[in-house]
Amino acid sequence: MPERLGPPREKPLFSRVALVGLGLIGSSIARAVRHLNLAGTIVAIDQDEGVVARVKELGLAEEATTDAAAGVADADLVVICVPVGAYGAVAAAISKSLKPGAIISDVGSVKASVIAQVQPHLPQGVFFVPAHPVAGTEHSGPDAGFSTLFFNRWCILTPPEGTPDEAVERVREFWSAMGSNVEVMTAQHHDLVLAITSHVPHLIAYNIVGTAADLETVTQSEVIKFSAGGFRDFTRIAASDPTMWRDVFLHNREAVLEMLGRLNEDIALLARAIRWGEGDKLFELFTRTRAIRRGIISVGQETPEPDFGRRRDGQ
Ligand SMILES: NC(=O)C1=CN([C@@H]2O[C@H](COP(=O)(O)OP(=O)(O)OC[C@H]3O[C@@H](n4cnc5c(N)ncnc54)[C@H](O)[C@@H]3O)[C@@H](O)[C@H]2O)C=CC1
Ligand SMILES: O=C(O)C(=O)Cc1ccc(O)cc1
């Protein structure tokens, strides 16, 4: 038992939890739920037969299947953990077999689009409480997960209007039990905040690594050999899953474009300051951003370096 997750519960929070998508996030939830006894039974559902076979080998769930409709039947909690472009297909596949009173949740990095994709399929009497654990790595698949991934990380809930408080509280309890700090906000606000704190930084990483790779006058081996810490960090982020991130950008289009527009304006100002030798402008910005970083560390939200992204407990 990873010590910081605490002891298992005497009584599970949910009797049957179905996880749809057993990649990095789904398998991390399975591991944490198992360690903490948050579910009587874990059902793993994945469209990829290889993933289902691996889930069985790793013993991540009591049941594992490619059949989403059969897998969610009788579940009290269903957590969708697939790339955000696949939510509509998953919701359509499971809608008819959801049990009355079931809570549907998810982990998608984008929220307004997933609500738009899922809600039309949900029958009366099931409750949708979307969630986004702001925790992850550049790795994917069932072997990449670990039970402490969500410990001391934020998890944002974005319940649509009219969601009963009891459903929200049950999902809050689920994430709190896994060690997350839970906050509630609207899906629209979530998408705006995450566009600047997560989505655009990933786009910049993909872009800078791509630009460096395309340079004619600098060789690939020079890029690797002389990459200082900053560029190396970008290469880690730029190794993130292509399907997942393609979907994030296509499903948070407006907020990402808005933030990119702002960023382009600010970069133009920086280029101008460099061109005209306006060192005071550069110095003022760098002083301000250093204070922001130090503020982040002092409120305890800093990512431990350099091992972020690696398994912390070997699980
Ligand atoms: N990777 C990260 O760092 C984080 C990811 N997220 C979100 O979590 C979700 C999952 O991401 P990962 O676990 O990283 O992805 P992953 O690529 O590791 O796993 C996704 C799994 O979903 C399965 N899948 C895809 N379409 C499916 C379908 N229609 N039906 C059933 N299974 C299907 C795939 O076979 C795969 O096993 C995404 O929505 C992502 O935005 C949230 C926080 C962090
Ligand atoms: O690996 C990293 O640095 C991340 O930023 C992980 C991550 C990816 C996507 C999310 O929605 C939340 C966290």
Side-chain angles (χ1 to χ4, degrees), residues 9-315:
R9 298 200 159 221
E10 277 182 19
K11 195 171 169 293
L13 272 181
F14 294 93
S15 51
R16 199 173 170 87
V17 171
L19 303 172
V20 188
L22 268 286
L24 168 74
I25 302 296
S27 76
S28 294
I29 296 176
R31 288 170 168 97
V33 166
R34 167 63 56 76
H35 280 305
L36 293 159
N37 190 30
L38 301 182
T41 302
I42 303 172
V43 186
I45 299 155
D46 202 290
Q47 69 176 13
D48 183 332
E49 282 175 11
V51 171
V52 169
R54 189 66 186 140
V55 164
K56 288 179 182 166
E57 276 169 16
L58 292 168
L60 293 179
E62 278 73 31
E63 297 169 30
T65 176
T66 54
D67 186 340
V72 301
D74 238 19
D76 313 284
L77 174 67
V78 177
V79 188
I80 302 174
C81 310
V82 303
V84 294
Y87 272 58
V90 168
I94 65 177
S95 62
K96 291 210 167 60
S97 34
L98 292 169
K99 159 169 132 173
I103 295 175
I104 316 303
S105 188
D106 81 304
V107 296
S109 306
V110 173
K111 300 278 44 119
S113 164
V114 308
I115 293 173
Q117 291 181 67
V118 170
Q119 252 189 338
H121 295 283
L122 294 185
Q124 281 287 331
V126 306
F127 308 109
F128 188 29
V129 184
H132 177 202
V134 189
T137 75
E138 71 279 22
H139 302 299
S140 20
D143 285 283
F146 53 100
S147 62
T148 51
L149 176 62
F150 311 112
F151 184 83
N152 207 16
R153 301 276 158 193
W154 287 104
C155 181
I156 302 171
L157 309 185
T158 63
E161 240 175 87
T163 308
D165 288 346
E166 306 84 77
V168 179
E169 285 315 305
R170 293 206 72 196
V171 175
R172 180 197 288 277
E173 213 184 333
F174 183 70
W175 285 98
S176 297
M178 293 191 283
S180 298
N181 306 309
V182 179
E183 193 149 312
V184 177
M185 63 181 70
T186 66
Q188 287 68 24
H189 189 64
H190 167 280
D191 289 354
L192 211 56
V193 173
L194 270 290
I196 191 65
T197 59
S198 176
H199 306 168
V200 167
H202 275 77
L203 198 70
I204 291 171
Y206 283 122
N207 185 61
I208 198 166
V209 175
T211 302
D214 290 346
L215 293 173
E216 303 82 18
T217 47
V218 179
T219 65
Q220 293 265 16
S221 67
E222 281 175 310
V223 168
I224 293 158
K225 189 166 153 191
F226 300 119
S227 65
F231 188 77
R232 261 175 205 271
D233 290 350
F234 280 127
T235 62
R236 182 188 75 76
I237 301 273
S240 300
D241 190 74
T243 304
M244 171 193 153
W245 282 99
R246 175 202 63 198
D247 285 2
V248 167
F249 293 116
L250 296 182
H251 288 266
N252 196 19
R253 190 172 50 186
E254 278 172 29
V256 167
L257 290 178
E258 163 68 20
M259 293 304 167
L260 268 183
R262 296 283 290 259
L263 194 78
N264 282 333
E265 285 176 21
D266 291 343
I267 285 183
L269 289 179
L270 284 178
R272 192 185 155 85
I274 293 168
R275 181 177 305 284
W276 296 104
E278 295 168 344
D280 51 338
K281 286 200 176 140
L282 301 176
F283 189 83
E284 187 273 324
L285 175 68
F286 302 162
T287 307
R288 217 153 37 89
T289 56
R290 173 181 258 190
I292 290 167
R293 164 77 183 183
R294 290 181 175 168
I296 292 170
I297 295 170
S298 72
V299 295
Q301 283 300 307
E302 193 234 2
T303 297
E305 297 284 359
D307 69 339
F308 180 52
R310 300 205 186 121
R311 296 181 193 190
R312 289 167 211 161
D313 61 357
Q315 310 252 349

